[in-house]
Amino acid sequence: MVIMSRQNPVVAVAGATGAVGKEMLLVLEQRGFPAAEVKALASARSVGCKLTYNGSGANGTYPSGDGYVEIEELTKNSFEGVDIALFSAGGDISLEFKQAVIDAGAVMVDNSSAFRMDEDVPLVVPEINPEDVSWHKGIIANPNCSTIQLAVVLDALAKLAPLKRVVCSTYQAASGAGAAAMDELHTQTQDFLNGDSLTIERFAHQIAFNCIPQIDVFLDDLYTKEERKMVIETRKILHTPELALAITCVRVPVLRCHSESINVEFDGPVSLAEARTALASAPGITLLDDPANKEYPMPGLLAGTDDVYVGRLRQDTSVENGLALWCVADQLRKGAALNAVQIAELLLKQ
């Protein structure tokens, strides 16, 4: 296991010009992460560009002196002197630079799917399994964005009774496919309203004013890779390898924040009052559930927030011990950048 060498580590953000990379810089700043230095890494074409970063270093000064960091080229030599490398540059890049990070003595916190299923790589949601950080060997995986918010909810409910079966349908925002996908939703919406022809590049179909019941490729069992990932990752995070899960993933015309409709079947009775209390007191969850006043989580109103928001709680009367609910979380925050920075904060404690 790599041990953190200092309490004011040098942090590198690989893929800093992407939607998640920019959010990582913002979260580091907002949470006051005590970095001695923050390096922004991207491809050669972005070298010299500047990204806003107003976080202060260990000596209380801005990294560049005036509130920004300048992009450096991502190379195998980028990690000399780096303690924590936050990666959000795609799985191929993570695989390519894995050994360079480890050889430099740094810890990679990877936001891609490259290492999530590796048995020797922890898959961590800090509110659920922080102890798994202790056995890393230089790499810690950040789970799928939709998995994170599902797992946070299930972990809180599992404290009431063992989970028997979970059915989840996701309503995933364009942000899950990156900054270019968000731009495509903007452009298609404008073109649609203007009566112009639509350009389709980032999605399989038109995303404006449409829902696409496919995220990633279809597998032999007719589930998509995204749906399969959510099943396997949830089991790994919760340490419940036999948990029955049925997942359907849908892309919807929302810019930020994924939503999920979740039905949970328990092995024993769980009252609505018990569920409300467990969710309201769980770390990282905000209960927003007042049907009489039309209060429930909505993705259009929660962009830029950190918690997993839960509402529409009710008994699932189709099974003996069932609960139905709705949850929303910002995919770029808790679904990616925030969770990665929280893992980095766990590393500080080592």
Side-chain angles (χ1 to χ4, degrees), residues 170-193:
T170 73
Y171 304 76
Q172 295 180 226
S175 56
M182 297 170 72
D183 291 341
E184 184 161 308
L185 174 56
H186 271 296
T187 302
Q188 282 190 9
T189 301
Q190 184 175 30
D191 290 343
F192 184 93
L193 293 174

Side-chain angles (χ1 to χ4, degrees), residues 8-338:
N8 296 108
V10 174
V11 177
V13 177
T17 56
V20 174
K22 291 177 180 177
E23 203 71 24
M24 284 175 171
L25 290 171
L26 181 61
V27 173
L28 286 167
E29 173 189 327
Q30 291 177 337
R31 291 178 72 86
F33 190 86
E37 180 186 356
V38 173
K39 300 176 66 175
L41 306 175
S43 63
R45 65 179 178 271
S46 298
V47 170
C49 296
K50 297 175 181 179
L51 294 174
T52 300
Y53 180 71
N54 291 315
S56 59
N59 60 0
T61 61
Y62 292 136
S64 65
D66 53 5
Y68 66 82
V69 285
E70 190 168 309
I71 299 294
E72 302 174 34
E73 183 178 0
L74 173 61
T75 71
K76 297 290 177 64
N77 297 320
S78 296
F79 306 100
E80 294 301 321
V82 169
D83 297 290
I84 302 173
L86 305 179
F87 264 70
S88 187
D92 290 342
I93 298 296
S94 297
L95 289 167
E96 179 182 351
F97 288 91
K98 163 190 171 181
Q99 200 57 48
V101 173
I102 294 174
D103 289 346
V107 181
M108 175 189 283
V109 180
D110 183 51
N111 194 56
S112 78
S113 60
F115 309 108
R116 290 172 185 162
M117 293 303 100
D118 290 5
E119 291 184 1
D120 61 347
V121 175
L123 185 66
V124 175
V125 178
E127 292 90 343
I128 301 173
N129 59 332
E131 68 282 355
D132 285 351
V133 166
S134 65
W135 54 268
H136 78 80
K137 299 176 183 178
I139 302 174
I140 302 171
N142 213 34
N144 179 284
C145 48
S146 297
T147 300
I148 290 175
Q149 69 187 85
L150 173 63
V152 167
V153 170
L154 295 182
D155 180 66
L157 295 174
K159 294 175 171 58
L160 301 175
L163 305 177
K164 183 177 180 181
R165 181 171 183 260
V166 176
V167 178
C168 176
S169 295
T170 73
Y171 304 76
Q172 295 180 226
S175 56
M182 297 170 72
D183 291 341
E184 184 161 308
L185 174 56
H186 271 296
T187 302
Q188 282 190 9
T189 301
Q190 184 175 30
D191 290 343
F192 184 93
L193 293 174
N194 289 337
D196 298 331
S197 60
L198 307 185
T199 299
I200 299 171
E201 295 178 345
R202 308 300 301 184
F203 301 103
H205 301 280
Q206 166 189 330
I207 185 62
F209 301 95
N210 192 28
C211 296
I212 306 172
Q214 176 191 355
I215 298 178
D216 216 319
V217 297
F218 284 103
L219 304 175
D220 290 342
D221 60 2
L222 300 183
Y223 283 87
T224 66
K225 190 176 180 181
E226 179 86 351
E227 292 159 354
R228 175 73 60 80
K229 284 189 294 187
M230 285 187 66
V231 170
I232 299 174
E233 291 178 26
T234 300
R235 290 170 175 167
K236 183 176 180 179
I237 295 164
L238 297 178
H239 301 154
T240 54
E242 303 302 321
L243 179 61
L245 296 110
I247 309 291
T248 301
C249 293
V250 182
R251 188 74 70 189
V252 297
V254 170
L255 281 173
R256 285 179 64 157
C257 294
H258 291 350
S259 304
E260 295 179 353
S261 172
I262 304 171
N263 291 67
V264 183
E265 184 179 358
F266 300 91
D267 257 343
V270 172
S271 72
L272 200 55
E274 289 174 325
R276 288 180 186 277
T277 299
L279 291 166
S281 60
I285 293 179
T286 293
L287 188 63
L288 188 60
D289 189 36
D290 186 0
N293 291 303
K294 300 181 178 63
E295 291 186 359
Y296 28 70
M298 291 180 285
L301 304 182
L302 292 173
T305 59
D306 287 342
D307 278 2
V308 176
Y309 289 79
V310 179
R312 291 297 320 278
L313 264 69
R314 58 208 186 275
Q315 295 290 349
D316 181 348
T317 56
S318 68
V319 293
E320 184 176 359
N321 300 304
L323 181 73
L325 60 90
W326 172 260
C327 79
V328 173
D330 187 322
Q331 177 272 333
L332 294 177
R333 300 284 294 195
K334 184 55 186 168
L338 172 61

